[in-house]
């Protein structure tokens, strides 16, 4: 069957990466977490004490940032590497979450990340999740999903995730962080988060993981068959 590109966009903590990872496994496709790249840049700036409002310094820093992904045999997921160091755990914490939306508004940061993401899509057979995948990175993606979930459910999911990692964080802080990121991500000038015209909306507030997968897998199968019959 023909290989396709699947773009999954949506707000923070809507379950995009869980779905994208599971789908990639099921299809034997590659999974690319574009948010991890913005997180890795943010982590680099934080650890090098670079103020993200100083654009010249950020541009210089981008020359020294190399991000890639390697399969982790233990977790069976791909881990994010920043300059050959595994930063998978470090980029998921609340400290990075507090700055990442601001860093990802920077035009130069976006250009650098989007260029790398486009390269990763060249061979197709990829599931990529983020905020601008269906609109800016792969506007011609074969299947575009736009995920949403109700605010409370998103906050609870994120809170549980952080707690499981042993982070000392309150529910209020999580709610506030999600609201702030939603606002920055969807109102920024450079490729803001928005639903692509041809995206299919998936509200998973009350869907089980299995029901959600069945829905999406059926869409993928329809898409692949449709393309085969066109060829
Ligand atoms: O998916 P995530 O929550 O790990 O993403 C972290 C941040 O990165 C998010 O607040 C906005 C930014 N981001 C982006 O601007 N564009 C993307 N394609 C992916 C993430």
């Amino acid at each position: 069957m023909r290989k396709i590109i699947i773009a999954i966009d949506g707000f923070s903590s809507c379950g995009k990466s869980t779905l994208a990872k599971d789908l990639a496994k099921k299809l034997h496709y590659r999974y690319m977490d574009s948010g991890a790249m913005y997180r890795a840049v943010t982590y680099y700036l934080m650890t090098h004490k670079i103020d993200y409002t100083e654009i010249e310094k950020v541009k210089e820093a981008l020359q020294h940032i190399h991000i890639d992904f390697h399969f982790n045999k233990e977790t069976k997921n791909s881990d994010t590497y920043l300059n050959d160091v595994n930063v998978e755990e470090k980029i998921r914490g609340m400290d990075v979450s507090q700055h990442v939306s601001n860093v990802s508004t920077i035009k130069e940061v976006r250009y650098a990340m989007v260029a790398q993401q486009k390269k990763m899509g060249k061979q197709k057979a990829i599931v990529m999740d983020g905020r601008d995948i269906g609109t800016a990175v792969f506007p011609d993606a074969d299947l575009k999903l736009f995920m949403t979930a109700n605010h409370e459910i998103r906050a609870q999911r994120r809170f549980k995730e952080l707690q499981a990692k042993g982070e000392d964080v309150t529910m209020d802080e999580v709610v506030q962080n999600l609201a702030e990121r939603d606002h920055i991500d969807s109102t920024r000038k450079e490729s803001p988060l928005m639903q692509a015209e041809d995206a299919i909306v998936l509200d998973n507030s009350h869907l089980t993981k299995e029901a959600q997968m069945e829905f999406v897998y059926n869409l993928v199968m329809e898409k692949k068959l449709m393309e085969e019959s066109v060829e």
Side-chain angles (χ1 to χ4, degrees):
M1 267 204 217
R2 197 176 154 182
K3 292 172 180 167
I4 64 171
I5 293 184
I6 302 168
I8 304 183
D9 288 305
F11 294 101
S12 310
S13 300
C14 275
K16 297 186 300 292
S17 62
T18 307
L19 171 67
K21 258 184 228 166
D22 290 351
L23 187 61
K25 268 184 201 152
K26 200 169 161 88
L27 298 171
H28 303 289
Y29 274 23
R30 281 167 304 142
Y31 163 60
M32 239 298 301
D33 174 358
S34 67
M37 297 174 71
Y38 293 95
R39 287 177 178 273
V41 172
T42 305
Y43 180 73
Y44 181 95
L45 298 178
M46 287 168 71
T47 49
H48 287 76
K49 305 212 181 321
I50 297 169
D51 179 347
Y52 60 78
T53 62
E54 295 192 43
I55 299 304
E56 286 310 314
K57 287 193 183 158
V58 173
K59 273 163 76 178
E60 162 67 18
L62 283 169
Q63 308 293 320
H64 306 286
I65 294 178
H66 177 74
I67 301 165
D68 52 16
F69 297 91
H70 296 292
F71 188 71
N72 180 326
K73 280 188 198 145
E74 246 170 68
T75 61
K76 307 247 184 303
N77 285 318
S78 75
D79 286 350
T80 313
Y81 280 69
L82 170 64
N83 297 335
D84 297 323
V85 177
N86 187 334
V87 291
E88 186 57 35
E89 282 289 309
K90 296 195 171 87
I91 61 169
R92 306 287 168 187
M94 198 62 177
D95 47 352
V96 170
S97 296
Q98 257 151 8
H99 301 288
V100 64
S101 280
N102 283 318
V103 171
S104 53
T105 61
I106 303 169
K107 188 173 71 191
E108 288 77 3
V109 171
R110 301 207 71 79
Y111 286 180
M113 298 304 111
V114 170
Q116 196 171 332
Q117 290 154 9
K118 281 182 190 275
K119 255 191 221 160
M120 292 171 176
K122 284 243 161 74
Q123 301 158 316
K124 297 215 166 191
I126 190 166
V127 184
M128 192 177 291
D129 75 337
R131 306 292 187 288
D132 59 344
I133 310 305
T135 51
V137 181
F138 301 131
D140 298 327
D142 306 84
L143 176 63
K144 298 180 187 178
L145 296 171
F146 189 84
M147 289 182 65
T148 65
N150 112 9
H151 284 269
E152 224 170 276
I153 291 175
R154 288 168 57 206
Q156 275 163 6
R157 285 180 186 156
R158 182 79 184 127
F159 182 61
K160 274 190 200 150
E161 230 174 70
L162 288 167
Q163 268 196 326
K165 284 185 185 151
E167 282 227 22
D168 183 18
V169 62
T170 66
M171 186 67 175
D172 280 352
E173 285 168 331
V174 171
V175 170
Q176 201 186 337
N177 177 252
L178 286 184
E180 268 168 24
R181 284 166 61 199
D182 282 357
H183 178 72
I184 301 172
D185 295 348
S186 48
T187 57
R188 70 178 174 227
K189 227 170 110 197
E190 207 65 40
S191 50
L193 164 66
M194 60 179 177
Q195 187 188 325
E197 265 179 28
D198 49 350
I200 295 164
V201 178
L202 171 57
D203 182 337
N204 70 0
S205 308
H206 304 290
L207 280 183
T208 61
K209 239 174 101 173
E210 293 72 24
Q212 169 173 274
M213 177 56 84
E214 194 184 334
F215 173 77
V216 177
Y217 189 70
N218 286 339
L219 287 176
V220 173
M221 287 303 121
E222 272 171 32
K223 200 78 207 163
K224 288 179 109 178
L225 290 174
M226 246 164 39
E227 278 167 8
E228 271 206 328
S229 60
V230 167
E231 278 173 355

